[in-house]
Amino acid sequence: MAKGRWTHMTALVTGASGFVGSAVTRCLIDAGFDVRALMRPHSDRRNIEGLAVEVATGDLTDVASLERALDGCRALFHVAADYRLWVRDPAPMFGANVDGTRHLMRAALAAGVERIVYTSSVATLGLRRDGQPADEDTPSTVADMIGAYKRSKFLAEAEVRRMIEDDGLPAVIVHPSAPVGPRDVKPTPTGRMIVEAAMGRMPAYVDTGLNVVHVDDVAGGHLLAFEKGVVGERYILGGEDMSLKHILDEIAAITGRPAPRVRLPHNLILPVALVAEAWTRLSGGGEPFVTVDGVRMAKKRMYFSSAKARRDLGYGPRPARQALVDAIAWFRENGYCR
């Protein structure tokens, strides 16, 4: 990918101030795009401070703002999503992730956008019963989706795929796994786990697994999908399959803290999650660290293959350990952990 190849092409990026979105924004700027960032009036802009981006104020639920933001854009990277594993009221999440995606894609068609990369998630894909890594063709249904976030992303992707088929939407779909790395300002659920482990506050673990990938490799995969992806095709942007024990051992090695040795059965964690959610509802607090849906998801190893992206796009992620090193360094530098 030659630096500056896409000079004078304007791309709208949704979610540009977020974890994955800000990495995509940086990648596109390096490639020469003129980047326009769709942002709500009060969005946290720390992740795009100092970047050469044009801010378009708007919201996925405000159709007029989407039409204004897309004016003159030839490319669209729809990265924004309401990503939480626990919500009191799922309606706003569905409004942003499903209805918002529909509004944006319709506006993109009307604006004549030439090429779209839609950021889905491995959360929408099926898992194999034999424990082997799943791929883009592993079947899934909305009934398989655990929690509001996964259901909303499944339905949003279904809407994009329908519009590709029925309306000629020029979209390529990418499925990031569990991104890790710098600028996780919220942080994400995975980032929260890394912070807790880096602080030595995870003395035990459950038997589960994730596919860990550096956030900057996910961003590079978005550009590769834009350049080489086939409209209507799906590409997993993952890294390494790692058990939670392996992840925590790596974090312990990086930080010099003892690795956890106690494995907890899932059924022991479930009552804790129920109490945590009940307390959060009563107290009005934020997302509990342990959730019922999180425990249900942890019963499955979420392993995925990026073979298609490697073969068709030239995608090549770095080792997952480097993602953990970079994440911990950023969390330390920004006061999340000592």
Side-chain angles (χ1 to χ4, degrees), residues 228-284:
K228 302 178 181 181
V230 175
V231 168
E233 290 293 323
R234 305 192 289 173
Y235 303 93
I236 293 172
L237 304 179
E240 289 183 40
D241 291 327
M242 301 176 72
S243 69
L244 179 57
K245 179 66 165 66
H246 186 187
I247 294 169
L248 296 176
D249 285 348
E250 290 284 9
I251 294 171
I254 293 164
T255 60
R257 295 185 182 276
R261 297 185 178 184
V262 178
R263 189 178 81 176
L264 298 176
H266 294 94
N267 291 339
L268 188 63
I269 303 296
L270 187 58
V272 177
L274 289 166
V275 171
E277 288 192 11
W279 173 251
T280 298
R281 290 184 186 280
L282 289 170
S283 65

Coordinates of all heavy atoms in Angstrom, one line a residue, residues 228-284:
K228 N -8.9 -4.2 -2.1 CA -8.9 -5.5 -2.8 C -10.1 -6.4 -2.5 O -10.3 -7.4 -3.2 CB -7.6 -6.3 -2.3 CG -6.3 -5.6 -2.6 CD -5.2 -6.5 -2.0 CE -3.8 -5.8 -2.2 NZ -2.7 -6.7 -1.7
G229 N -10.9 -6.0 -1.6 CA -12.1 -6.8 -1.2 C -13.1 -6.8 -2.3 O -13.3 -5.9 -3.1
V230 N -13.9 -7.9 -2.4 CA -14.9 -8.1 -3.4 C -16.3 -7.7 -2.7 O -16.6 -8.1 -1.6 CB -15.0 -9.6 -3.8 CG1 -16.2 -9.8 -4.8 CG2 -13.7 -10.0 -4.5
V231 N -17.0 -6.8 -3.4 CA -18.3 -6.4 -2.9 C -19.2 -7.6 -2.6 O -19.3 -8.5 -3.3 CB -19.0 -5.5 -4.0 CG1 -20.5 -5.2 -3.6 CG2 -18.3 -4.1 -4.1
G232 N -19.7 -7.5 -1.4 CA -20.6 -8.6 -0.9 C -19.9 -9.6 -0.1 O -20.5 -10.5 0.6
E233 N -18.6 -9.7 -0.2 CA -17.8 -10.7 0.5 C -17.5 -10.2 2.0 O -17.5 -9.0 2.3 CB -16.5 -11.0 -0.2 CG -16.6 -11.7 -1.5 CD -17.2 -13.1 -1.3 OE1 -16.8 -13.8 -0.3 OE2 -18.0 -13.6 -2.2
R234 N -17.2 -11.2 2.8 CA -16.9 -11.0 4.2 C -15.5 -11.4 4.5 O -15.1 -12.5 4.0 CB -17.9 -11.7 5.1 CG -19.4 -11.3 4.8 CD -20.3 -11.8 5.9 NE -20.4 -13.3 5.9 CZ -21.1 -14.0 6.9 NH1 -21.6 -13.3 7.9 NH2 -21.2 -15.3 6.8
Y235 N -14.8 -10.7 5.4 CA -13.4 -11.0 5.7 C -13.2 -10.9 7.2 O -13.4 -9.8 7.7 CB -12.4 -10.1 4.9 CG -12.6 -10.1 3.4 CD1 -13.4 -9.2 2.8 CD2 -11.9 -11.1 2.7 CE1 -13.6 -9.2 1.4 CE2 -12.1 -11.1 1.3 CZ -12.9 -10.2 0.7 OH -13.1 -10.2 -0.7
I236 N -12.7 -11.9 7.8 CA -12.4 -11.9 9.2 C -11.0 -11.2 9.4 O -10.0 -11.6 8.8 CB -12.3 -13.3 9.8 CG1 -13.7 -13.9 9.9 CG2 -11.7 -13.3 11.3 CD1 -13.8 -15.4 10.3
L237 N -10.9 -10.2 10.2 CA -9.7 -9.5 10.5 C -9.3 -9.9 12.0 O -9.6 -9.2 12.9 CB -9.8 -8.0 10.4 CG -10.3 -7.5 9.0 CD1 -10.4 -6.0 9.0 CD2 -9.4 -8.0 7.9
G238 N -8.6 -11.0 12.1 CA -8.2 -11.5 13.4 C -6.7 -11.7 13.6 O -5.9 -11.2 12.7
G239 N -6.3 -12.3 14.7 CA -4.9 -12.4 15.0 C -4.7 -13.8 15.4 O -4.7 -14.8 14.6
E240 N -4.4 -14.0 16.7 CA -4.1 -15.3 17.3 C -5.2 -15.8 18.2 O -5.8 -15.0 19.1 CB -2.8 -15.2 18.1 CG -1.6 -15.1 17.3 CD -0.3 -15.1 18.2 OE1 -0.3 -15.9 19.2 OE2 0.6 -14.3 18.0
D241 N -5.6 -17.1 18.1 CA -6.5 -17.7 19.1 C -5.7 -17.9 20.4 O -4.7 -18.6 20.4 CB -7.0 -19.0 18.6 CG -8.0 -18.8 17.4 OD1 -8.7 -17.8 17.4 OD2 -8.0 -19.7 16.5
M242 N -6.3 -17.4 21.5 CA -5.6 -17.6 22.8 C -6.6 -17.9 23.9 O -7.7 -17.3 23.9 CB -4.9 -16.3 23.2 CG -3.8 -15.8 22.2 SD -3.1 -14.2 22.7 CE -2.1 -14.7 24.1
S243 N -6.3 -18.9 24.7 CA -7.1 -19.1 25.9 C -7.0 -17.9 26.8 O -6.0 -17.2 26.8 CB -6.7 -20.4 26.6 OG -5.5 -20.2 27.2
L244 N -8.0 -17.7 27.7 CA -7.9 -16.6 28.6 C -6.7 -16.9 29.6 O -6.0 -15.9 29.9 CB -9.2 -16.5 29.5 CG -9.2 -15.5 30.5 CD1 -8.9 -14.1 30.0 CD2 -10.5 -15.5 31.3
K245 N -6.4 -18.1 29.9 CA -5.2 -18.4 30.7 C -3.9 -17.9 30.0 O -3.1 -17.4 30.7 CB -5.2 -19.9 31.0 CG -4.0 -20.3 31.9 CD -4.0 -19.8 33.3 CE -3.0 -20.4 34.2 NZ -1.6 -20.2 33.9
H246 N -3.8 -18.2 28.7 CA -2.7 -17.8 28.0 C -2.6 -16.3 28.0 O -1.5 -15.7 28.1 CB -2.8 -18.4 26.5 CG -1.6 -18.1 25.7 ND1 -1.5 -18.4 24.4 CD2 -0.4 -17.6 26.0 CE1 -0.4 -18.1 23.9 NE2 0.4 -17.6 24.8
I247 N -3.7 -15.6 27.7 CA -3.7 -14.1 27.7 C -3.2 -13.6 29.1 O -2.3 -12.7 29.1 CB -5.1 -13.6 27.4 CG1 -5.5 -13.9 26.0 CG2 -5.1 -12.0 27.6 CD1 -6.9 -13.7 25.7
L248 N -3.7 -14.1 30.2 CA -3.3 -13.6 31.5 C -1.9 -14.0 31.8 O -1.2 -13.2 32.5 CB -4.3 -14.2 32.5 CG -5.8 -13.8 32.4 CD1 -6.6 -14.5 33.4 CD2 -5.9 -12.3 32.5
D249 N -1.4 -15.1 31.4 CA 0.0 -15.5 31.5 C 0.9 -14.5 30.8 O 2.0 -14.1 31.3 CB 0.3 -16.9 31.0 CG -0.3 -18.0 32.0 OD1 -0.6 -17.6 33.1 OD2 -0.3 -19.1 31.6
E250 N 0.5 -14.1 29.6 CA 1.3 -13.1 28.8 C 1.3 -11.8 29.6 O 2.4 -11.1 29.6 CB 0.8 -13.0 27.4 CG 1.0 -14.2 26.5 CD 2.4 -14.3 26.0 OE1 3.3 -13.5 26.5 OE2 2.6 -15.2 25.2
I251 N 0.2 -11.3 30.0 CA 0.1 -10.1 30.8 C 1.0 -10.1 32.0 O 1.7 -9.1 32.4 CB -1.4 -9.7 31.1 CG1 -2.1 -9.4 29.8 CG2 -1.4 -8.5 32.0 CD1 -3.6 -9.3 30.0
A252 N 0.9 -11.2 32.7 CA 1.8 -11.4 33.9 C 3.3 -11.3 33.6 O 4.0 -10.6 34.3 CB 1.5 -12.7 34.6
A253 N 3.7 -11.9 32.5 CA 5.0 -11.9 32.0 C 5.5 -10.4 31.6 O 6.6 -10.0 31.9 CB 5.3 -12.8 30.9
I254 N 4.5 -9.7 31.0 CA 4.8 -8.3 30.6 C 5.0 -7.4 31.8 O 5.8 -6.5 31.8 CB 3.7 -7.9 29.6 CG1 3.8 -8.6 28.3 CG2 3.9 -6.4 29.3 CD1 2.5 -8.5 27.4
T255 N 4.1 -7.6 32.7 CA 4.1 -6.7 33.9 C 4.9 -7.1 35.1 O 5.1 -6.3 36.0 CB 2.6 -6.5 34.4 OG1 2.1 -7.8 34.8 CG2 1.7 -5.9 33.3
G256 N 5.4 -8.4 35.0 CA 6.1 -8.9 36.2 C 5.3 -9.3 37.4 O 5.8 -9.4 38.5
R257 N 4.0 -9.4 37.2 CA 3.1 -9.9 38.3 C 2.9 -11.4 38.2 O 3.1 -12.0 37.1 CB 1.8 -9.1 38.2 CG 1.9 -7.6 38.4 CD 0.5 -7.0 38.4 NE 0.5 -5.6 38.5 CZ 0.6 -4.9 39.7 NH1 0.6 -5.7 40.8 NH2 0.6 -3.6 39.7
P258 N 2.5 -12.0 39.3 CA 2.2 -13.4 39.3 C 1.1 -13.7 38.4 O 0.1 -13.0 38.3 CB 1.9 -13.7 40.7 CG 2.4 -12.6 41.5 CD 2.4 -11.4 40.7
A259 N 1.2 -14.9 37.7 CA 0.1 -15.3 36.8 C -1.0 -16.0 37.7 O -0.7 -16.6 38.7 CB 0.6 -16.3 35.8
P260 N -2.3 -15.8 37.3 CA -3.3 -16.5 38.1 C -3.3 -18.0 37.9 O -2.9 -18.5 36.9 CB -4.6 -15.9 37.4 CG -4.2 -15.5 36.0 CD -2.8 -15.1 36.2
R261 N -3.6 -18.7 39.0 CA -3.5 -20.2 39.0 C -4.8 -20.9 39.2 O -4.9 -22.1 39.0 CB -2.5 -20.6 40.0 CG -1.1 -20.1 39.7 CD -0.1 -20.7 40.7 NE 1.3 -20.3 40.4 CZ 2.4 -20.7 41.1 NH1 2.2 -21.6 42.1 NH2 3.6 -20.3 40.8
V262 N -5.8 -20.1 39.7 CA -7.1 -20.7 40.0 C -8.1 -20.6 38.9 O -8.4 -19.5 38.4 CB -7.7 -20.0 41.3 CG1 -9.0 -20.6 41.6 CG2 -6.7 -20.1 42.5
R263 N -8.6 -21.8 38.4 CA -9.6 -21.8 37.4 C -11.0 -21.9 38.0 O -11.2 -22.9 38.8 CB -9.4 -22.9 36.4 CG -10.3 -22.8 35.2 CD -10.0 -23.9 34.2 NE -10.7 -25.2 34.6 CZ -10.6 -26.2 33.8 NH1 -10.0 -26.3 32.7 NH2 -11.3 -27.3 34.2
L264 N -11.8 -21.0 37.8 CA -13.2 -21.0 38.3 C -14.2 -21.6 37.4 O -14.2 -21.3 36.2 CB -13.6 -19.6 38.7 CG -12.8 -18.8 39.7 CD1 -13.3 -17.4 39.8 CD2 -12.8 -19.5 41.1
P265 N -15.1 -22.5 37.9 CA -16.1 -23.0 37.0 C -17.1 -21.9 36.6 O -17.4 -21.0 37.4 CB -16.8 -24.1 37.8 CG -16.5 -23.7 39.2 CD -15.1 -23.0 39.2
H266 N -17.7 -22.0 35.4 CA -18.6 -20.9 35.0 C -19.8 -20.8 35.9 O -20.3 -19.7 36.2 CB -19.1 -21.3 33.6 CG -18.0 -21.2 32.5 ND1 -17.3 -22.3 32.1 CD2 -17.5 -20.1 31.8 CE1 -16.4 -21.9 31.2 NE2 -16.6 -20.6 31.0
N267 N -20.3 -21.9 36.4 CA -21.5 -21.9 37.3 C -21.2 -21.2 38.6 O -22.2 -20.7 39.2 CB -22.0 -23.3 37.5 CG -22.5 -24.0 36.3 OD1 -22.9 -23.3 35.3 ND2 -22.6 -25.3 36.3
L268 N -20.0 -21.0 39.0 CA -19.7 -20.3 40.2 C -19.7 -18.8 39.9 O -20.0 -18.0 40.8 CB -18.3 -20.7 40.7 CG -17.9 -20.2 42.1 CD1 -18.8 -20.7 43.2 CD2 -16.4 -20.6 42.4
I269 N -19.4 -18.4 38.7 CA -19.4 -17.0 38.4 C -20.8 -16.4 38.1 O -21.0 -15.2 38.4 CB -18.5 -16.8 37.1 CG1 -17.1 -17.3 37.3 CG2 -18.4 -15.3 36.7 CD1 -16.3 -16.6 38.4
L270 N -21.7 -17.3 37.6 CA -23.0 -16.8 37.3 C -23.7 -16.1 38.4 O -24.3 -15.0 38.2 CB -23.9 -18.0 36.7 CG -25.2 -17.6 36.2 CD1 -25.1 -16.6 35.0 CD2 -26.0 -18.8 35.7
P271 N -23.8 -16.6 39.6 CA -24.4 -15.9 40.7 C -23.8 -14.5 41.0 O -24.5 -13.6 41.3 CB -24.3 -16.8 41.9 CG -24.0 -18.2 41.3 CD -23.3 -18.0 40.1
V272 N -22.5 -14.5 40.8 CA -21.8 -13.2 41.0 C -22.3 -12.2 40.0 O -22.5 -11.0 40.3 CB -20.3 -13.4 40.9 CG1 -19.5 -12.0 41.1 CG2 -19.8 -14.3 42.0
A273 N -22.4 -12.6 38.8 CA -22.9 -11.7 37.7 C -24.3 -11.3 38.0 O -24.7 -10.1 37.7 CB -22.8 -12.4 36.3
L274 N -25.2 -12.2 38.4 CA -26.5 -11.8 38.7 C -26.6 -10.7 39.8 O -27.3 -9.7 39.7 CB -27.3 -13.0 39.2 CG -27.7 -14.1 38.1 CD1 -28.1 -15.4 38.7 CD2 -28.7 -13.5 37.1
V275 N -25.8 -10.9 40.9 CA -25.7 -9.9 42.0 C -25.2 -8.6 41.4 O -25.7 -7.5 41.8 CB -24.9 -10.4 43.1 CG1 -24.7 -9.3 44.2 CG2 -25.6 -11.6 43.8
A276 N -24.1 -8.6 40.6 CA -23.5 -7.4 40.1 C -24.5 -6.6 39.2 O -24.6 -5.4 39.3 CB -22.3 -7.8 39.3
E277 N -25.2 -7.3 38.4 CA -26.2 -6.6 37.5 C -27.3 -6.0 38.4 O -27.8 -4.9 38.2 CB -26.8 -7.6 36.5 CG -25.8 -7.9 35.4 CD -26.5 -8.6 34.2 OE1 -27.7 -8.6 34.2 OE2 -25.7 -9.1 33.4
A278 N -27.8 -6.8 39.4 CA -28.9 -6.3 40.3 C -28.4 -5.0 41.0 O -29.2 -4.0 41.1 CB -29.3 -7.4 41.2
W279 N -27.2 -5.1 41.5 CA -26.7 -3.9 42.3 C -26.5 -2.7 41.3 O -26.8 -1.6 41.7 CB -25.3 -4.3 42.9 CG -24.7 -3.1 43.5 CD1 -23.5 -2.4 43.1 CD2 -25.1 -2.4 44.7 NE1 -23.3 -1.4 43.9 CE2 -24.2 -1.3 44.9 CE3 -26.2 -2.5 45.6 CZ2 -24.3 -0.4 45.9 CZ3 -26.3 -1.6 46.6 CH2 -25.4 -0.6 46.8
T280 N -26.1 -2.9 40.1 CA -25.9 -1.8 39.2 C -27.3 -1.2 38.8 O -27.4 0.0 38.8 CB -25.3 -2.3 37.9 OG1 -24.0 -2.8 38.2 CG2 -25.1 -1.2 36.8
R281 N -28.3 -2.0 38.7 CA -29.6 -1.5 38.4 C -30.1 -0.7 39.6 O -30.7 0.4 39.4 CB -30.6 -2.6 38.1 CG -30.3 -3.3 36.7 CD -31.4 -4.3 36.4 NE -31.1 -5.1 35.2 CZ -31.3 -4.6 34.0 NH1 -31.9 -3.5 33.8 NH2 -31.0 -5.4 33.0
L282 N -29.9 -1.2 40.8 CA -30.4 -0.4 42.0 C -29.6 0.8 42.3 O -30.2 1.9 42.7 CB -30.3 -1.4 43.2 CG -31.3 -2.5 43.3 CD1 -30.9 -3.5 44.4 CD2 -32.7 -2.0 43.5
S283 N -28.3 0.8 42.1 CA -27.4 1.9 42.4 C -27.3 2.9 41.3 O -26.9 4.1 41.5 CB -26.0 1.4 42.8 OG -25.4 0.8 41.6
G284 N -27.7 2.5 40.1 CA -27.6 3.5 38.9 C -26.2 3.6 38.4 O -25.8 4.5 37.7

